[in-house]
């Protein structure tokens, strides 16, 4: 399907000369960029630098869902037992060009090809709306830049194509949100923080509002001193308990994210065995979550920090 439309000169005193075709500029479309595993960013919506996102992007909203179902003899229909979102594909029709030379165009194309190499690992697609809000999703190139030199797809200094990205996780991520509970050295409490720190324990209640469309998995960072940590989501009834002595300056990171779940002390020592048998790497449900946080053996130097990214069904 041709995307570029070649304009022509219509000066009656000059012969009709076809001009170099350029992409159609579309307003009020989101800005989409790809960040490769090395951190190089390609902005597919940078008209001034020769990139434009064409109409027809697909996969920016809800993923496909799969259902586990049970059927019973003599009963019409079925019962849904489990629902899961699958990975998704995102298709981006783009055009890019170089004003100065064929060599500059080829250099840009080859740089893009190198950046998209999926063997380098997952990159990140970022969609930024006109109001400045941005969401990201892990992605890697899967198809679209094999090379099409047909008349409607490429020229000496331009080309168009549909880049397809595979996204193992179906969710778009919002900005990282972080809350830290602590006290000053004087043991006076920070205002607005619902956690009290004393010489024997950190004990308090907290309310977290998860704005996302799905569960969000927090990363907890506990800085010693401490002898035990109990993190409870009262909304779901789940608890995460770590029993281990932390000295001043020790740090434990409890990562509850799916496929990344770890319990590491000072970035090296595995404390998975120090978690109680009843522990769950619980998530924040969408909406209000009431939490209860307890740290025994603490001092005024003890810190409890929670970070998470809301997960959304659409960009």
């Amino acid at each position: 399907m041709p995307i570029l439309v070649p304009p022509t000169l219509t000066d009656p005193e000059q012969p009709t000369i076809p001009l170099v075709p350029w992409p159609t500029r579309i307003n009020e479309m989101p800005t989409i960029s790809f960040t490769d595993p090395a951190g190089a960013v390609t902005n597919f919506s940078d008209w001034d630098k020769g990139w434009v996102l064409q109409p027809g992007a697909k996969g920016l909203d809800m993923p496909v869902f799969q259902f586990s179902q049970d059927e019973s003899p003599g009963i019409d229909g079925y019962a849904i037992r489990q629902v899961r979102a699958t990975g998704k594909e995102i298709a981006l029709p783009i055009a890019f060009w170089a004003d100065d030379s064929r060599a500059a165009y080829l250099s840009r194309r080859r740089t893009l090809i190198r950046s998209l190499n999926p063997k380098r690992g997952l990159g990140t697609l970022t969609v930024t709306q006109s109001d400045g809000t941005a969401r990201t999703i892990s992605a890697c190139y899967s198809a679209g830049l094999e090379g099409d030199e047909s008349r409607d797809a490429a020229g000496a200094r331009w080309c168009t194509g549909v880049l397809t990205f595979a996204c193992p996780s179906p969710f778009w991520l919002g900005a990282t949100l972080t809350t830290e509970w602590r006290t000053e050295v004087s043991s006076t409490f920070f205002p607005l923080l619902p956690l009290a720190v004393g010489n024997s324990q950190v004990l308090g209640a907290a309310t977290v509002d998860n704005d996302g469309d799905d569960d969000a998995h927090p990363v907890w960072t506990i800085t010693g001193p401490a002898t035990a940590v109990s993190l409870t989501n009262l909304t779901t009834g789940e608890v995460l308990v770590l029993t281990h002595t932390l000295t001043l300056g020790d740090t434990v990171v409890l990562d509850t994210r799916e496929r990344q779940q770890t319990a590491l002390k000072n970035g090296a020592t595995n404390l998975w065995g120090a978690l109680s048998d009843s522990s769950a790497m619980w998530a924040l449900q969408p909406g209000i979550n009431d939490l209860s946080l307890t740290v025994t053996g603490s001092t005024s130097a003890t810190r409890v920090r929670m970070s998470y990214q809301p997960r959304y069904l659409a960009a």
Side-chain angles (χ1 to χ4, degrees):
M1 179 181 68
I3 297 177
L4 306 179
V5 179
T8 57
L9 293 176
T10 56
D11 187 340
E13 298 181 0
Q14 298 291 335
T16 300
I17 302 174
L19 297 180
V20 175
W22 299 111
T24 302
R25 188 169 186 171
I26 305 297
N27 296 321
E28 295 302 324
M29 293 183 68
T31 296
I32 300 182
S33 63
F34 176 74
T35 304
D36 71 17
V41 179
T42 302
N43 185 352
F44 298 132
S45 305
D46 194 341
W47 175 272
D48 294 333
K49 293 184 179 180
W51 298 89
V52 63
L53 178 66
Q54 297 284 276
K58 296 181 179 180
L60 299 181
D61 289 332
M62 292 188 71
V64 174
F65 288 88
Q66 290 183 345
F67 301 91
S68 297
Q69 58 194 51
D70 291 326
E71 298 186 8
S72 301
I75 301 178
D76 297 328
Y78 57 84
I80 295 177
R81 180 161 45 88
Q82 188 181 55
V83 180
R84 62 179 294 270
T86 66
K88 67 183 342 180
E89 281 193 347
I90 294 176
L92 302 177
I94 66 166
F96 62 95
W97 64 93
D99 281 327
D100 40 7
S101 66
R102 168 74 174 175
Y105 159 73
L106 289 176
S107 176
R108 172 173 294 178
R109 182 184 180 94
R110 289 164 180 162
T111 298
L112 176 61
I113 289 173
R114 184 180 304 113
S115 183
L116 292 178
N117 185 355
K119 287 189 174 182
R120 301 173 62 196
L122 287 173
T124 302
L125 283 174
T126 301
V127 174
T128 305
Q129 302 294 343
S130 58
D131 62 359
T133 58
R135 292 176 181 175
T136 62
I137 192 169
S138 296
C140 64
Y141 165 87
S142 63
L145 206 56
E146 296 82 4
D148 182 356
E149 298 298 326
S150 59
R151 182 174 183 179
D152 291 333
R157 292 184 283 115
W158 62 271
C159 76
T160 64
V162 179
L163 299 184
T164 302
F165 292 87
C167 303
S169 172
F171 299 107
W172 293 87
L173 301 178
T176 299
L177 303 176
T178 300
T179 302
E180 183 174 277
W181 295 272
R182 60 178 179 170
T183 64
E184 295 175 334
V185 176
S186 63
S187 293
T188 58
F189 301 149
F190 279 114
L192 305 179
L193 293 181
L195 194 65
V197 180
N199 291 329
S200 60
Q201 65 177 359
V202 179
L203 177 63
T207 299
V208 176
D209 186 1
N210 173 17
D211 178 63
D213 302 323
D214 204 88
D215 292 348
H217 300 270
V219 177
W220 296 92
T221 304
I222 298 97
T223 302
T227 57
V229 181
S230 179
L231 310 171
T232 304
N233 189 332
L234 300 174
T235 301
T236 64
E238 296 173 301
V239 62
L240 177 57
V241 178
L242 173 74
T243 303
H244 184 82
T245 298
L246 304 178
T247 60
L248 181 66
D250 282 340
T251 298
V252 170
V253 176
L254 303 176
D255 191 339
T256 72
R257 292 175 296 177
E258 295 170 316
R259 297 186 175 89
Q260 302 182 57
Q261 296 179 347
T262 55
L264 289 179
K265 175 183 176 182
N266 298 331
T269 305
N270 185 2
L271 295 185
W272 193 265
L275 299 176
S276 69
D277 293 339
S278 60
S279 287
M281 290 294 203
W282 52 260
L284 299 168
Q285 289 190 333
I288 299 297
N289 291 257
D290 294 318
L291 311 182
S292 176
L293 316 175
T294 303
V295 180
T296 59
S298 66
T299 71
S300 59
T302 304
R303 303 286 186 267
V304 176
R305 184 170 72 246
M306 178 190 68
S307 299
Y308 72 95
Q309 288 182 275
R311 302 199 300 178
Y312 300 94
L313 291 172

